[in-house]
């Protein structure tokens, strides 16, 4: 998997070399900021999804333990 910087450099290369479009420094900075923002949002979403999965796991574990206690008559 490419890092954010490698991806930005690759995108810049594709735009400039493959399509013959010269990008200004500001355009390159804007591309980098956009990639960094997308990466940050993706990471936050992944962390939230992981936390939600962990919460579901512990909820199910608690429910299962309560049922076992009821069935076992503890």
């Amino acid at each position: 998997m490419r890092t954010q910087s490698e991806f930005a450099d690759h995108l810049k290369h594709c735009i400039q070399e493959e399509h013959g479009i010269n990008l200004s420094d500001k355009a390159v900075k804007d591309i980098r900021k956009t990639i960094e923002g997308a990466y940050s949002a993706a990471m936050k979403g992944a962390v939230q999804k992981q936390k939600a999965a962990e919460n579901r796991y512990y909820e199910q574990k608690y429910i299962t333990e309560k049922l076992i206690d009821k069935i076992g008559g503890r």
Side-chain angles (χ1 to χ4, degrees):
M1 186 168 128
R2 293 180 184 203
T3 65
Q4 298 170 48
S5 180
E6 289 172 333
F7 186 74
D9 290 342
H10 177 72
L11 186 58
K12 177 185 167 189
H13 169 79
C14 287
I15 292 170
Q16 290 187 166
E17 299 295 324
E18 300 291 328
H19 300 287
I21 299 171
N22 290 321
L23 299 172
S24 68
D25 288 341
K26 183 184 179 323
V28 172
K29 286 178 188 176
D30 288 346
I31 289 170
R32 286 188 190 278
K33 284 182 183 179
T34 300
I35 291 169
E36 288 170 5
Y39 180 81
S40 177
M43 289 302 296
K44 286 177 185 174
V47 168
Q48 288 175 344
K49 188 174 182 179
Q50 181 180 2
K51 286 180 181 179
E54 289 172 1
N55 288 340
R56 284 191 304 276
Y57 167 79
Y58 287 111
E59 286 172 3
Q60 290 301 316
K61 182 179 175 186
Y62 174 75
I63 290 168
T64 302
E65 289 172 353
K66 293 291 270 183
L67 286 172
I68 290 170
D69 287 346
K70 260 187 176 180
I71 293 170
R74 295 182 197 171

